[in-house]
Amino acid sequence: TLVWIGGLALGLAALVAAAALVGALPAPTLDPWAATFLGCLFGLAVWAGFSTLWSVSPDRSWAYTNRILVYAAFALLGVLLSAVLPHARALAGAAASLLGLVVGWALLAKCVPALYSDYGRVARLRAPVGYWNELALLCDVAVPLALWLASARGRRASLRAAGALLLFGATVALLLTYSRIGVVLACLAAAAWVVLDRDRVESLATVALGGGAGAAVFGLALALPGITKDGRPHPVRVHDGWVLALALAGVGAVVFVVALVLARVEHRRPLSPERR
């Protein structure tokens, strides 16, 4: 399946590039950041391929080479599409929606033990992808997308509130994975967004609101053995799952409403450049 998935991504990227060459699509222009990102990713694939010459397990090294090439193919496709499509923001919105569904299902499976029974063995959050570090990386990707939704001026207040809600859910899910590198990457992504964003006041407010509320719910989860402790019986996980579900619903509603009010107040009374 890896060959078919990677081949499809490379084929679509080649199709987009060919359409740009013949004038059917605008010619893509890569800024230095995008070019550096793609160069590093393809360079990692080349290095992994060369490592088969001295690897103690060349078959696994070759498997990782193929996997990195698939990642690089999708990255190339995404960069090309964002450069040539007139509605690239819609792609980012779709990605945010998909990640919201993943985060929502992950938290729901923790609240309802029947959806993922293996939490009775190991409590670390990992459904629906099966591995906690992979789920943490998806939450990391959701962080800048959530801040993008929540901080863009001129966007509807409901969409900006949805961005704060996505950051809240991603924060809770990320912390429940117990992935240390995931937490570090999420903090770096949020800090980089705040530094680079022109509307950093909104970004800081969203980080404080969504991230702070997510950390508070995680603090509650630490007091629930059916949520954060391994090997707990089914009745304990059911009881604590309902407690977590009520906390997620209540705090999530507060985050959404507060973000909605803040967005509408700011829309009516924009801050001066000096005050910002």
Side-chain angles (χ1 to χ4, degrees), residues 254-274:
V254 171
V255 168
F256 186 85
V257 171
V258 171
L260 195 66
V261 171
L262 289 177
R264 289 178 174 173
V265 168
E266 177 210 332
H267 179 71
R268 290 195 295 264
R269 299 178 58 188
L271 299 177
S272 65
E274 292 78 14

PDB file of all heavy atoms in Angstrom, residues 254-274:
ATOM      1  N   VAL A 254     -17.596  26.828  27.308  1.00  0.00           N
ATOM      2  CA  VAL A 254     -17.115  28.108  27.842  1.00  0.00           C
ATOM      3  C   VAL A 254     -16.051  28.700  26.920  1.00  0.00           C
ATOM      4  O   VAL A 254     -16.064  29.914  26.631  1.00  0.00           O
ATOM      5  CB  VAL A 254     -16.573  27.916  29.269  1.00  0.00           C
ATOM      6  CG1 VAL A 254     -15.869  29.178  29.751  1.00  0.00           C
ATOM      7  CG2 VAL A 254     -17.692  27.542  30.220  1.00  0.00           C
ATOM      8  N   VAL A 255     -15.114  27.873  26.459  1.00  0.00           N
ATOM      9  CA  VAL A 255     -14.068  28.355  25.551  1.00  0.00           C
ATOM     10  C   VAL A 255     -14.687  28.929  24.282  1.00  0.00           C
ATOM     11  O   VAL A 255     -14.304  30.016  23.824  1.00  0.00           O
ATOM     12  CB  VAL A 255     -13.093  27.207  25.208  1.00  0.00           C
ATOM     13  CG1 VAL A 255     -12.179  27.591  24.039  1.00  0.00           C
ATOM     14  CG2 VAL A 255     -12.258  26.845  26.429  1.00  0.00           C
ATOM     15  N   PHE A 256     -15.643  28.225  23.712  1.00  0.00           N
ATOM     16  CA  PHE A 256     -16.270  28.690  22.466  1.00  0.00           C
ATOM     17  C   PHE A 256     -16.993  30.014  22.686  1.00  0.00           C
ATOM     18  O   PHE A 256     -16.853  30.949  21.880  1.00  0.00           O
ATOM     19  CB  PHE A 256     -17.242  27.628  21.951  1.00  0.00           C
ATOM     20  CG  PHE A 256     -17.829  27.947  20.608  1.00  0.00           C
ATOM     21  CD1 PHE A 256     -17.149  27.626  19.442  1.00  0.00           C
ATOM     22  CD2 PHE A 256     -19.060  28.577  20.505  1.00  0.00           C
ATOM     23  CE1 PHE A 256     -17.687  27.919  18.198  1.00  0.00           C
ATOM     24  CE2 PHE A 256     -19.611  28.879  19.274  1.00  0.00           C
ATOM     25  CZ  PHE A 256     -18.917  28.547  18.112  1.00  0.00           C
ATOM     26  N   VAL A 257     -17.764  30.118  23.762  1.00  0.00           N
ATOM     27  CA  VAL A 257     -18.544  31.336  24.007  1.00  0.00           C
ATOM     28  C   VAL A 257     -17.617  32.514  24.286  1.00  0.00           C
ATOM     29  O   VAL A 257     -17.815  33.619  23.750  1.00  0.00           O
ATOM     30  CB  VAL A 257     -19.527  31.106  25.171  1.00  0.00           C
ATOM     31  CG1 VAL A 257     -20.185  32.420  25.580  1.00  0.00           C
ATOM     32  CG2 VAL A 257     -20.587  30.097  24.763  1.00  0.00           C
ATOM     33  N   VAL A 258     -16.607  32.318  25.124  1.00  0.00           N
ATOM     34  CA  VAL A 258     -15.680  33.411  25.433  1.00  0.00           C
ATOM     35  C   VAL A 258     -14.940  33.866  24.179  1.00  0.00           C
ATOM     36  O   VAL A 258     -14.784  35.072  23.934  1.00  0.00           O
ATOM     37  CB  VAL A 258     -14.695  32.974  26.535  1.00  0.00           C
ATOM     38  CG1 VAL A 258     -13.596  34.023  26.715  1.00  0.00           C
ATOM     39  CG2 VAL A 258     -15.433  32.750  27.842  1.00  0.00           C
ATOM     40  N   ALA A 259     -14.478  32.906  23.364  1.00  0.00           N
ATOM     41  CA  ALA A 259     -13.794  33.272  22.123  1.00  0.00           C
ATOM     42  C   ALA A 259     -14.735  34.010  21.183  1.00  0.00           C
ATOM     43  O   ALA A 259     -14.331  34.956  20.492  1.00  0.00           O
ATOM     44  CB  ALA A 259     -13.238  32.021  21.447  1.00  0.00           C
ATOM     45  N   LEU A 260     -16.000  33.608  21.152  1.00  0.00           N
ATOM     46  CA  LEU A 260     -16.987  34.276  20.301  1.00  0.00           C
ATOM     47  C   LEU A 260     -17.196  35.713  20.760  1.00  0.00           C
ATOM     48  O   LEU A 260     -17.226  36.646  19.937  1.00  0.00           O
ATOM     49  CB  LEU A 260     -18.295  33.494  20.352  1.00  0.00           C
ATOM     50  CG  LEU A 260     -19.350  33.795  19.287  1.00  0.00           C
ATOM     51  CD1 LEU A 260     -18.857  33.396  17.907  1.00  0.00           C
ATOM     52  CD2 LEU A 260     -20.645  33.060  19.614  1.00  0.00           C
ATOM     53  N   VAL A 261     -17.334  35.917  22.054  1.00  0.00           N
ATOM     54  CA  VAL A 261     -17.532  37.266  22.590  1.00  0.00           C
ATOM     55  C   VAL A 261     -16.313  38.136  22.312  1.00  0.00           C
ATOM     56  O   VAL A 261     -16.442  39.305  21.894  1.00  0.00           O
ATOM     57  CB  VAL A 261     -17.838  37.195  24.097  1.00  0.00           C
ATOM     58  CG1 VAL A 261     -17.832  38.588  24.711  1.00  0.00           C
ATOM     59  CG2 VAL A 261     -19.180  36.519  24.338  1.00  0.00           C
ATOM     60  N   LEU A 262     -15.114  37.597  22.535  1.00  0.00           N
ATOM     61  CA  LEU A 262     -13.900  38.371  22.291  1.00  0.00           C
ATOM     62  C   LEU A 262     -13.787  38.775  20.827  1.00  0.00           C
ATOM     63  O   LEU A 262     -13.409  39.911  20.509  1.00  0.00           O
ATOM     64  CB  LEU A 262     -12.674  37.558  22.712  1.00  0.00           C
ATOM     65  CG  LEU A 262     -12.464  37.365  24.211  1.00  0.00           C
ATOM     66  CD1 LEU A 262     -11.257  36.467  24.463  1.00  0.00           C
ATOM     67  CD2 LEU A 262     -12.273  38.714  24.902  1.00  0.00           C
ATOM     68  N   ALA A 263     -14.100  37.851  19.930  1.00  0.00           N
ATOM     69  CA  ALA A 263     -14.003  38.167  18.506  1.00  0.00           C
ATOM     70  C   ALA A 263     -14.989  39.261  18.122  1.00  0.00           C
ATOM     71  O   ALA A 263     -14.660  40.158  17.330  1.00  0.00           O
ATOM     72  CB  ALA A 263     -14.252  36.908  17.681  1.00  0.00           C
ATOM     73  N   ARG A 264     -16.198  39.226  18.664  1.00  0.00           N
ATOM     74  CA  ARG A 264     -17.194  40.238  18.315  1.00  0.00           C
ATOM     75  C   ARG A 264     -16.858  41.585  18.937  1.00  0.00           C
ATOM     76  O   ARG A 264     -17.063  42.636  18.319  1.00  0.00           O
ATOM     77  CB  ARG A 264     -18.572  39.772  18.764  1.00  0.00           C
ATOM     78  CG  ARG A 264     -19.102  38.603  17.923  1.00  0.00           C
ATOM     79  CD  ARG A 264     -20.440  38.102  18.400  1.00  0.00           C
ATOM     80  NE  ARG A 264     -20.977  37.083  17.501  1.00  0.00           N
ATOM     81  CZ  ARG A 264     -22.065  36.375  17.730  1.00  0.00           C
ATOM     82  NH1 ARG A 264     -22.739  36.567  18.855  1.00  0.00           N
ATOM     83  NH2 ARG A 264     -22.484  35.478  16.857  1.00  0.00           N
ATOM     84  N   VAL A 265     -16.351  41.584  20.161  1.00  0.00           N
ATOM     85  CA  VAL A 265     -15.952  42.847  20.789  1.00  0.00           C
ATOM     86  C   VAL A 265     -14.811  43.482  20.010  1.00  0.00           C
ATOM     87  O   VAL A 265     -14.810  44.689  19.751  1.00  0.00           O
ATOM     88  CB  VAL A 265     -15.544  42.598  22.251  1.00  0.00           C
ATOM     89  CG1 VAL A 265     -14.850  43.828  22.826  1.00  0.00           C
ATOM     90  CG2 VAL A 265     -16.763  42.237  23.082  1.00  0.00           C
ATOM     91  N   GLU A 266     -13.853  42.674  19.609  1.00  0.00           N
ATOM     92  CA  GLU A 266     -12.718  43.210  18.860  1.00  0.00           C
ATOM     93  C   GLU A 266     -13.162  43.726  17.495  1.00  0.00           C
ATOM     94  O   GLU A 266     -12.638  44.733  17.002  1.00  0.00           O
ATOM     95  CB  GLU A 266     -11.669  42.118  18.672  1.00  0.00           C
ATOM     96  CG  GLU A 266     -10.489  42.562  17.846  1.00  0.00           C
ATOM     97  CD  GLU A 266      -9.885  41.411  17.084  1.00  0.00           C
ATOM     98  OE1 GLU A 266     -10.008  40.274  17.564  1.00  0.00           O
ATOM     99  OE2 GLU A 266      -9.324  41.658  16.014  1.00  0.00           O
ATOM    100  N   HIS A 267     -14.152  43.062  16.890  1.00  0.00           N
ATOM    101  CA  HIS A 267     -14.639  43.508  15.581  1.00  0.00           C
ATOM    102  C   HIS A 267     -15.305  44.882  15.696  1.00  0.00           C
ATOM    103  O   HIS A 267     -15.181  45.719  14.805  1.00  0.00           O
ATOM    104  CB  HIS A 267     -15.629  42.490  15.023  1.00  0.00           C
ATOM    105  CG  HIS A 267     -16.193  42.883  13.690  1.00  0.00           C
ATOM    106  ND1 HIS A 267     -15.443  42.872  12.536  1.00  0.00           N
ATOM    107  CD2 HIS A 267     -17.437  43.319  13.339  1.00  0.00           C
ATOM    108  CE1 HIS A 267     -16.192  43.273  11.520  1.00  0.00           C
ATOM    109  NE2 HIS A 267     -17.404  43.550  11.985  1.00  0.00           N
ATOM    110  N   ARG A 268     -16.010  45.122  16.813  1.00  0.00           N
ATOM    111  CA  ARG A 268     -16.683  46.407  16.994  1.00  0.00           C
ATOM    112  C   ARG A 268     -15.725  47.503  17.422  1.00  0.00           C
ATOM    113  O   ARG A 268     -15.924  48.667  17.106  1.00  0.00           O
ATOM    114  CB  ARG A 268     -17.797  46.267  18.036  1.00  0.00           C
ATOM    115  CG  ARG A 268     -18.986  45.444  17.554  1.00  0.00           C
ATOM    116  CD  ARG A 268     -20.181  45.659  18.467  1.00  0.00           C
ATOM    117  NE  ARG A 268     -19.910  45.155  19.809  1.00  0.00           N
ATOM    118  CZ  ARG A 268     -20.270  43.959  20.221  1.00  0.00           C
ATOM    119  NH1 ARG A 268     -20.875  43.123  19.396  1.00  0.00           N
ATOM    120  NH2 ARG A 268     -20.023  43.575  21.459  1.00  0.00           N
ATOM    121  N   ARG A 269     -14.672  47.130  18.157  1.00  0.00           N
ATOM    122  CA  ARG A 269     -13.737  48.133  18.668  1.00  0.00           C
ATOM    123  C   ARG A 269     -12.311  47.697  18.349  1.00  0.00           C
ATOM    124  O   ARG A 269     -11.590  47.211  19.225  1.00  0.00           O
ATOM    125  CB  ARG A 269     -13.916  48.289  20.176  1.00  0.00           C
ATOM    126  CG  ARG A 269     -15.300  48.749  20.586  1.00  0.00           C
ATOM    127  CD  ARG A 269     -15.404  48.830  22.094  1.00  0.00           C
ATOM    128  NE  ARG A 269     -14.404  49.735  22.658  1.00  0.00           N
ATOM    129  CZ  ARG A 269     -14.182  49.873  23.961  1.00  0.00           C
ATOM    130  NH1 ARG A 269     -14.863  49.145  24.809  1.00  0.00           N
ATOM    131  NH2 ARG A 269     -13.270  50.721  24.379  1.00  0.00           N
ATOM    132  N   PRO A 270     -11.879  47.870  17.105  1.00  0.00           N
ATOM    133  CA  PRO A 270     -10.512  47.476  16.749  1.00  0.00           C
ATOM    134  C   PRO A 270      -9.474  48.328  17.478  1.00  0.00           C
ATOM    135  O   PRO A 270      -9.660  49.532  17.677  1.00  0.00           O
ATOM    136  CB  PRO A 270     -10.469  47.704  15.241  1.00  0.00           C
ATOM    137  CG  PRO A 270     -11.532  48.722  14.981  1.00  0.00           C
ATOM    138  CD  PRO A 270     -12.601  48.467  15.981  1.00  0.00           C
ATOM    139  N   LEU A 271      -8.390  47.699  17.867  1.00  0.00           N
ATOM    140  CA  LEU A 271      -7.324  48.390  18.582  1.00  0.00           C
ATOM    141  C   LEU A 271      -6.474  49.194  17.604  1.00  0.00           C
ATOM    142  O   LEU A 271      -6.302  48.810  16.455  1.00  0.00           O
ATOM    143  CB  LEU A 271      -6.447  47.382  19.330  1.00  0.00           C
ATOM    144  CG  LEU A 271      -7.134  46.540  20.400  1.00  0.00           C
ATOM    145  CD1 LEU A 271      -6.163  45.553  20.998  1.00  0.00           C
ATOM    146  CD2 LEU A 271      -7.696  47.421  21.491  1.00  0.00           C
ATOM    147  N   SER A 272      -5.938  50.272  18.079  1.00  0.00           N
ATOM    148  CA  SER A 272      -5.046  51.067  17.249  1.00  0.00           C
ATOM    149  C   SER A 272      -3.713  50.314  17.069  1.00  0.00           C
ATOM    150  O   SER A 272      -3.359  49.471  17.895  1.00  0.00           O
ATOM    151  CB  SER A 272      -4.781  52.416  17.902  1.00  0.00           C
ATOM    152  OG  SER A 272      -4.083  52.230  19.118  1.00  0.00           O
ATOM    153  N   PRO A 273      -2.972  50.623  16.001  1.00  0.00           N
ATOM    154  CA  PRO A 273      -1.667  49.957  15.811  1.00  0.00           C
ATOM    155  C   PRO A 273      -0.735  50.155  16.991  1.00  0.00           C
ATOM    156  O   PRO A 273      -0.008  49.235  17.381  1.00  0.00           O
ATOM    157  CB  PRO A 273      -1.132  50.624  14.543  1.00  0.00           C
ATOM    158  CG  PRO A 273      -2.349  51.100  13.817  1.00  0.00           C
ATOM    159  CD  PRO A 273      -3.327  51.502  14.873  1.00  0.00           C
ATOM    160  N   GLU A 274      -0.753  51.351  17.589  1.00  0.00           N
ATOM    161  CA  GLU A 274       0.149  51.594  18.715  1.00  0.00           C
ATOM    162  C   GLU A 274      -0.223  50.734  19.920  1.00  0.00           C
ATOM    163  O   GLU A 274       0.648  50.129  20.561  1.00  0.00           O
ATOM    164  CB  GLU A 274       0.097  53.075  19.112  1.00  0.00           C
ATOM    165  CG  GLU A 274       0.681  54.039  18.086  1.00  0.00           C
ATOM    166  CD  GLU A 274      -0.297  54.272  16.936  1.00  0.00           C
ATOM    167  OE1 GLU A 274      -1.482  53.910  17.069  1.00  0.00           O
ATOM    168  OE2 GLU A 274       0.135  54.823  15.911  1.00  0.00           O
TER     169      GLU A 274
END
